[in-house]
C-alpha cells in the first residue's frame, strides 16, 4: 500500500487562471484572456506515461501505442472553488484540466487535478 500524502510532499507551486471572455460594444465576442485565480498553491506533481492501451479499440496490450502527450496529475489540499475550465500553470508550463477528484482517504483532505499539456 502506498504511503498517504503528507503536507511535506507538496514540493512545487502551481497557479490557476480563469478564461475571461471579452466583448465589444455590440456584445460580440472579441477574444479571451487569462486572469489569475490563485497563485503559489503548494502541490505534488506526478507524471503518467503517454501510453494508450488498445489503440484499435480492442483493449489489447499488443495494440498499445505511445501518444504524443503525457498526462500529469497534481495533488493539492482540498478546495471547493476549482473548475475544470481553468488553466493550470506549473514550472512555466500550461496545462488543461481534464478532471478534478477527491483522493482516497479521509474526506475533504486532498484533491487530484488530472491535466494534459496545453496546446
Amino acid at each position: 500500500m502506498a504511503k498517504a500524502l503528507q503536507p511535506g510532499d507538496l514540493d512545487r507551486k502551481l497557479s490557476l487562471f480563469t478564461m475571461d471572455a471579452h466583448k465589444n460594444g455590440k456584445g460580440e465576442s472579441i477574444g479571451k484572456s487569462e486572469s489569475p485565480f490563485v497563485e503559489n498553491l503548494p502541490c505534488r506533481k506526478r507524471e503518467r506515461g503517454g501510453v494508450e492501451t488498445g489503440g484499435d479499440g480492442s483493449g489489447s496490450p499488443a495494440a498499445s501505442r505511445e501518444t504524443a502527450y503525457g498526462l500529469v496529475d497534481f495533488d493539492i489540499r482540498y478546495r471547493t472553488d476549482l473548475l475544470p475550465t481553468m488553466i493550470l500553470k506549473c514550472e512555466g508550463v500550461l496545462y488543461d484540466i481534464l478532471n478534478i477528484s477527491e483522493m482516497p482517504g479521509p474526506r475533504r483532505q486532498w484533491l487530484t487535478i488530472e491535466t494534459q499539456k496545453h496546446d
Side-chain angles (χ1 to χ4, degrees):
M1 182 173 178
K3 180 184 117 180
L5 185 63
Q6 300 295 316
D9 295 334
L10 307 177
D11 60 348
R12 299 171 197 245
K13 303 277 186 180
L14 64 81
S15 298
L16 291 164
F17 300 89
T18 58
M19 294 300 290
D20 294 337
H22 300 286
K23 297 183 179 184
N24 62 13
K26 298 177 185 178
E28 300 167 338
S29 180
I30 58 173
K32 293 183 177 183
S33 67
E34 300 168 356
S35 294
F37 180 73
V38 66
E39 295 182 322
N40 296 322
L41 189 66
C43 70
R44 176 177 70 173
K45 179 179 175 183
R46 294 181 291 129
E47 296 193 36
R48 291 191 280 157
V51 176
E52 182 178 291
T53 304
D56 63 356
S58 67
S60 70
S64 296
R65 65 183 175 91
E66 198 163 322
T67 59
Y69 60 90
L71 300 175
V72 181
D73 293 341
F74 293 92
D75 300 324
I76 63 169
R77 290 182 185 271
Y78 187 87
R79 295 177 65 108
T80 58
D81 55 356
L82 303 183
L83 299 171
T85 56
M86 293 179 173
I87 302 292
L88 186 146
K89 183 177 183 179
C90 183
E91 299 175 332
V93 179
L94 293 176
Y95 298 90
D96 291 319
I97 296 176
L98 302 175
N99 189 29
I100 301 170
S101 59
E102 192 172 339
M103 291 179 70
R107 283 192 67 219
R108 298 185 176 189
Q109 188 172 4
W110 304 105
L111 286 178
T112 296
I113 305 172
E114 298 174 26
T115 67
Q116 78 180 38
K117 286 187 182 173
H118 182 72
D119 292 334

